[in-house]
Amino acid sequence: DIQLTQSPSFLSASVGDRATITCRASQDISSNLAWYQQKPGKAPQLLIYAASTLQSGVPSRFSGSGSGTEFTLTISSLQPEDFATYYCQQINSYPLTFGGGTKVEIK
Amino acid sequence: EVQLVESGGGLVQPGGSLRLSCAASGFTFSDHYMDWVRQAPGEGLEWVGRIRNKANSYTTQYAASVKGRFTISRDDSKNSLYLQMDSLKTEDTAVYYCAGVLSPGARYGPFGYWGQGTLVSVSS
């Protein structure tokens, strides 16, 4: 199985800060990686797929990069509505797997 | 507007069975691969399994943790997805989400559509 390791697990930041989350895969997954945002009590929402393609309707302050085994989600300027938990997911091979999550909290 | 609405969750004893349903609308359900994802209380996301579309013979894939106990099926005439859960264990307690792959028939498609989730509690 492909393991995804997200770092950090917790990120404390202020409104307007730049936030960067890393996702490392245990083997090459090409660009077959997606990022999701989840708020408490809600279903996850797709932010980015194919490592760097912004899902329709997602603000441009979100961006993704990487390929192979190392990937990054960047939020250029945190807004109040961005405080949530973020998950990466590999869709390269079965079983599909998720990273452990990164909780972005208000400092 | 795309909607996925799960139902069928509840409290069940260990060893029991439960069938979840997911009603889809707002997109061409029959064209899309569909998945189940679960989330134990306070934990992260875990993929449960997938069913492909008719063009791909409705084939299924499962996580090792549920293989042999859970069965995914679909009824395209009813725009519905199902998860039959047998031999339930306490560790199956979670919110169960149905999810649709973003692009029809996409092998490497992300989960573009999500339901609101239904809670399954396995306890004596």
Side-chain angles (χ1 to χ4, degrees):
Chain A
D1 296 5
I2 296 174
Q3 312 300 321
L4 296 179
T5 303
Q6 282 185 240
S7 60
S9 299
F10 294 94
L11 192 160
S12 183
S14 301
V15 173
D17 285 353
R18 183 182 185 89
T20 301
I21 300 168
T22 298
C23 179
R24 289 189 173 88
S26 59
Q27 60 191 80
D28 189 339
I29 59 170
S30 186
S31 296
N32 297 315
L33 186 105
W35 290 96
Y36 301 87
Q37 177 193 69
Q38 187 179 34
K39 296 181 179 179
K42 300 293 187 183
Q45 288 192 307
L46 177 65
L47 295 175
I48 287 168
Y49 60 97
S52 60
T53 301
L54 198 65
Q55 166 66 342
S56 176
V58 174
S60 59
R61 62 181 179 272
F62 291 91
S63 64
S65 64
S67 67
T69 62
E70 187 148 340
F71 302 86
T72 300
L73 172 70
T74 300
I75 310 171
S76 60
S77 176
L78 278 165
Q79 298 303 300
E81 60 269 30
D82 299 337
F83 292 93
T85 300
Y86 294 84
Y87 294 93
C88 57
Q89 179 204 27
Q90 67 84 16
I91 44 182
N92 188 73
S93 61
Y94 297 103
L96 307 184
T97 49
F98 291 89
T102 296
K103 187 173 183 179
V104 178
E105 300 179 318
I106 300 174
K107 185 182 285 185
Chain B
E1 179 196 5
V2 171
Q3 273 201 314
L4 293 173
V5 180
E6 300 95 337
S7 60
L11 177 64
V12 61
Q13 291 188 336
S17 297
L18 209 58
R19 188 194 196 208
L20 305 184
S21 299
C22 172
S25 61
F27 67 108
T28 309
F29 176 79
S30 59
D31 288 347
H32 291 252
Y33 294 3
M34 296 296 296
D35 294 71
W36 288 96
V37 176
R38 68 184 181 182
Q39 187 169 35
E43 301 296 323
L45 301 170
E46 181 187 15
W47 176 74
V48 172
R50 162 170 290 179
I51 186 165
R52 297 180 180 87
N53 55 14
K54 182 179 180 180
N56 290 277
S57 304
Y58 298 125
T59 52
T60 53
Q61 304 273 166
Y62 297 95
S65 58
V66 306
K67 195 170 185 178
R69 300 188 300 122
F70 289 12
T71 303
I72 298 173
S73 61
R74 64 191 295 166
D75 185 339
D76 290 345
S77 68
K78 295 181 179 179
N79 285 348
S80 292
L81 175 72
Y82 305 102
L83 179 64
Q84 176 67 42
M85 302 185 292
D86 298 320
S87 304
L88 281 160
K89 306 175 181 180
T90 55
E91 52 264 41
D92 294 319
T93 294
V95 173
Y96 284 74
Y97 297 100
C98 65
V101 174
L102 184 62
S103 299
R107 162 63 180 89
Y108 298 108
F111 299 167
Y113 313 128
W114 292 77
Q116 84 288 352
T118 188
L119 177 63
V120 173
S121 295
V122 185
S123 174
S124 54

